[in-house]
């Protein structure tokens, strides 16, 4: 009998914040269960962030201050690495994960529908890619983006043409 076990940050493991999928080893075990797979919390956060951004009606992720600091960080060479996980917090347990998202929605969309779409997309992506059960996706709508709000210049646009 083959048991796949997922564990994170508990027991006698020294790597906190990493999910480990363990299987039976030996010649009689199926190839997919031989060895150990580890999934870091940051990987789950990236998956959740990308999945949330795919939903129509999401303008951006992150609370006001996090977005402001993130925008400044992106302008510094080599400082934009955390943009995907901005506004995303995950807790990963032995077999389960919980996701908290701070979002900004577009004006005019149904917040309830957008939140439902985000939950569906995040749960589907995380469970499909990691094998962890997502027990909850909590969404905090921090702002509504208005169509007439001034758009920031794209980072790759120059000031001079």
């Amino acid at each position: 009998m083959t048991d796949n076990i997922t564990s994170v940050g508990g027991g006698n493991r020294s790597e906190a914040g990493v999910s480990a999928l363990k299987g039976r080893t030996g010649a009689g075990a199926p190839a997919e269960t031989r060895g150990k797979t580890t999934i870091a919390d940051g990987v789950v956060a990236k998956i959740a962030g990308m999945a949330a951004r795919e939903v129509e009606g999401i303008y951006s992720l992150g609370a006001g201050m996090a977005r402001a600091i993130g925008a400044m960080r992106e302008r510094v060479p080599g400082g934009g690495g955390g943009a995907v996980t901005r506004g995303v917090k995950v807790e990963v347990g032995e077999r389960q994960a919980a996701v908290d998202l701070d979002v900004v929605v577009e004006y005019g969309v149904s917040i309830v529908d957008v939140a439902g779409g985000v939950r569906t997309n995040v749960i589907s992506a995380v469970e499909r890619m990691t094998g962890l059960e997502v027990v909850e996706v909590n969404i905090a709508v921090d702002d509504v983006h208005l169509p007439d709000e001034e758009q920031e210049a794209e980072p790759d646009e120059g000031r001079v043409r």
Side-chain angles (χ1 to χ4, degrees), residues 4-23:
N4 282 334
I5 301 169
T6 305
S7 62
V8 176
N12 35 4
R13 285 198 7 190
S14 61
E15 301 174 49
V18 176
S19 172
L21 304 174
K22 298 179 184 179

Side-chain angles (χ1 to χ4, degrees), residues 60-106:
S60 68
L61 269 63
M65 185 57 78
R67 286 195 330 267
I69 292 171
M72 290 175 61
R73 189 178 299 145
E74 287 174 7
R75 293 172 196 251
V76 176
V84 175
T85 59
R86 184 182 325 126
V88 181
K89 181 181 175 230
V90 298
E91 293 180 33
V92 182
E94 289 186 16
R95 293 179 187 88
Q96 300 174 329
V99 180
D100 296 324
L101 300 168
D102 290 316
V103 301
V104 177
V105 298
E106 294 283 355

Side-chain angles (χ1 to χ4, degrees), residues 20-65:
L21 304 174
K22 298 179 184 179
R24 195 178 83 175
T25 59
E32 66 271 8
T33 64
R34 295 183 194 180
K36 179 173 89 171
T37 303
T38 58
I39 303 170
D41 286 2
V43 172
V44 176
K46 282 185 178 184
I47 293 168
M50 291 298 294
R53 284 176 174 80
E54 291 173 353
V55 176
E56 190 172 330
I58 293 293
Y59 176 73
S60 68
L61 269 63
M65 185 57 78

